[in-house]
Amino acid sequence: MENDNLKLTSSEIGTLWGEYVNGTMTDIVNRYMFSILEDESIKKVFEIAIETWEKQKKQLVFFIEKEGFPVPIGFTESDLNKSAERLFSDTFCLNYLNIMTMHGLLGHTTALCVSVRKDLRDFYNLCDNDAKNMYDLTIELLLEKGRFQRDPYFYPNEGPEFISTQDFTDGFFGKGRLLSATEIISISLNIKKSIMAKTLSIGFSQVTESKEIRKFFEELEKRADETIQSLSKIMHKDNLPVPMSWESEVTTSKDSPFSDKLMLYHMGFLAQTAQVYYGTGLAGAMRTDLAVVYEKTILKTLAMTKNWFDIMVKNKWLEQPPLAPNRKELAQEK
């Protein structure tokens, strides 16, 4: 049997399904941002992102339909208000594309790791290359415009050193040590992602017409700010700089460019992916105070995700992914 003719596994169809839904969501946001951008250099990068998705979307539809599964609805032009006033600045749009590209890289890598069929592996390799190219483009443009926020600088020791004291894990008392370079990776990344989540929450809370959804966005903004403050406090304690906020990159517009369904789904997506990064940070944390921050943040985010799920289901906005066959029901139908 040829590799490309193998039946797709549950993991393979699951990644295709998720890539399609999340891709259509991001594409709608990218199209809106493209329509409001004034900087031509940033606009060109968004144009590439939109064209790249169109190419990937066709292939995803081909794989899903060939296997006999229905293509998800995802998000369409009906979720976009093309005549809406500007909600975000050009700078925020570029930072948004940069961070969402990071999520894309993670998604493509995960999909590749669970794919067996060669045609799927080839596809995700191409997607990964596209995302790497987009990451390079956004980083270079942010650097060129002086808008890229670099992580703190450390200075080299004379030679390799080994941990020699039990106090290495102490982050609460006076005997504690300074943050390690490996811990900074997750701290800085989680602050930046929380800043974006907070900024989107502010913008979305301004334009939604639903009181319930506005309340959720406001609560999410509060939680994102708590994460920013908790991690920033640890950085400041060691006299290290933290990334700047982006709240000022949101305009005063109350005209929604997106459907409530899209905005709510987007924030749920960010909350769920954040858990992956918080978990990575927790696994690499060797200071007790840092580990406690991650543990509390994970628990609070889980509670937020439950609230998000309830609102999505109540409004019938959450598509059901393919499920395992119900053998008991099948047996009863005989």
Side-chain angles (χ1 to χ4, degrees):
M1 181 184 290
E2 294 226 0
N3 186 283
D4 291 0
N5 292 324
L6 291 173
K7 186 176 177 62
L8 288 179
T9 66
S10 54
S11 297
E12 289 171 329
I13 196 64
T15 56
L16 290 169
W17 194 92
E19 290 258 347
Y20 185 89
V21 174
N22 294 331
T24 55
M25 174 200 71
T26 306
D27 180 59
I28 293 298
V29 179
N30 286 348
R31 287 178 183 277
Y32 165 70
M33 290 183 171
F34 177 80
S35 71
I36 64 170
L37 285 167
E38 296 175 352
D39 188 308
E40 288 299 325
S41 59
I42 301 176
K43 200 164 187 173
K44 180 60 180 176
V45 176
F46 269 85
E47 185 178 11
I48 295 171
I50 292 168
E51 291 173 352
T52 299
W53 166 247
E54 280 301 309
K55 175 185 65 177
Q56 294 174 356
K57 181 181 178 181
K58 290 177 182 177
Q59 191 62 51
L60 286 167
V61 169
F62 172 78
F63 284 133
I64 295 171
E65 288 185 337
K66 185 180 179 183
E67 207 66 20
F69 286 89
V71 177
I73 297 170
F75 297 90
T76 66
E77 292 289 325
S78 64
D79 295 296
L80 175 63
N81 177 11
K82 295 180 179 179
S83 61
E85 296 177 15
R86 168 184 282 266
L87 185 59
F88 302 111
S89 70
D90 283 13
T91 297
F92 176 78
C93 291
L94 182 55
N95 277 291
Y96 170 88
L97 185 56
N98 174 252
I99 288 185
M100 290 303 289
T101 299
M102 292 184 199
H103 290 310
L105 280 166
L106 176 63
H108 299 326
T109 302
T110 301
L112 177 63
C113 290
V114 299
S115 295
V116 176
R117 269 180 32 178
K118 189 175 186 306
D119 55 348
L120 256 65
R121 285 184 281 118
D122 289 343
F123 171 64
Y124 286 127
N125 268 317
L126 290 174
C127 290
D128 190 53
N129 290 334
D130 288 336
K132 288 175 182 176
N133 178 57
M134 183 54 58
Y135 183 74
D136 286 340
L137 290 172
T138 54
I139 290 289
E140 289 298 324
L141 202 48
L142 285 166
L143 287 170
E144 179 186 315
K145 296 181 178 299
R147 295 289 187 171
F148 186 75
Q149 301 186 60
R150 305 196 70 175
D151 296 335
Y153 291 101
F154 280 10
Y155 297 92
N157 297 324
E158 293 182 0
E161 297 180 7
F162 290 90
I163 298 171
S164 59
T165 172
Q166 297 296 326
D167 292 334
F168 191 82
T169 61
D170 181 14
F172 288 108
F173 305 103
K175 297 179 182 179
R177 47 85 186 172
L178 300 175
L179 288 168
S180 70
T182 53
E183 289 168 331
I184 292 289
I185 298 170
S186 290
I187 295 175
S188 182
L189 200 55
N190 280 312
I191 290 177
K192 291 177 182 177
K193 289 176 179 295
S194 295
I195 287 172
M196 189 182 86
K198 181 182 177 182
T199 306
L200 284 174
S201 296
I202 291 171
F204 290 171
S205 66
Q206 282 181 196
V207 300
T208 182
E209 295 181 358
S210 166
K211 291 182 179 179
E212 181 182 34
I213 295 174
R214 181 179 298 110
K215 183 179 178 181
F216 176 81
F217 289 151
E218 289 171 349
E219 183 65 23
L220 193 59
E221 176 194 342
K222 179 182 175 183
R223 294 302 178 200
D225 187 65
E226 287 176 357
T227 302
I228 295 165
Q229 298 305 322
S230 297
L231 293 174
S232 295
K233 183 179 179 180
I234 290 175
M235 295 276 277
H236 284 312
K237 184 179 176 182
D238 287 356
N239 298 308
L240 296 172
V242 298
M244 295 184 299
S245 66
W246 297 336
E247 289 98 321
S248 61
E249 305 299 331
V250 182
T251 71
T252 57
S253 172
K254 292 185 178 181
D255 190 15
S256 181
F258 311 114
S259 66
D260 281 354
K261 171 189 170 184
L262 185 144
M263 292 189 291
L264 189 59
Y265 181 87
H266 200 326
M267 299 315 298
F269 166 81
L270 290 178
Q272 290 169 341
T273 53
Q275 293 288 60
V276 177
Y277 291 94
Y278 296 149
T280 301
L282 177 60
M286 291 184 285
R287 255 176 51 171
T288 49
D289 58 339
L290 184 55
V292 167
V293 167
Y294 281 128
E295 288 173 350
K296 288 182 177 179
T297 303
I298 288 170
L299 290 174
K300 288 178 180 178
T301 306
L302 280 173
M304 290 293 299
T305 303
K306 175 61 170 64
N307 188 17
W308 169 84
F309 179 84
D310 291 342
I311 300 173
M312 289 289 292
V313 170
K314 185 174 73 172
N315 286 283
K316 300 188 185 315
W317 288 340
L318 198 59
E319 283 190 77
Q320 180 175 284
L323 301 178
N326 190 321
R327 300 300 179 183
K328 289 183 179 180
E329 283 188 5
L330 290 171
Q332 289 173 0
E333 289 174 1
K334 286 188 175 182

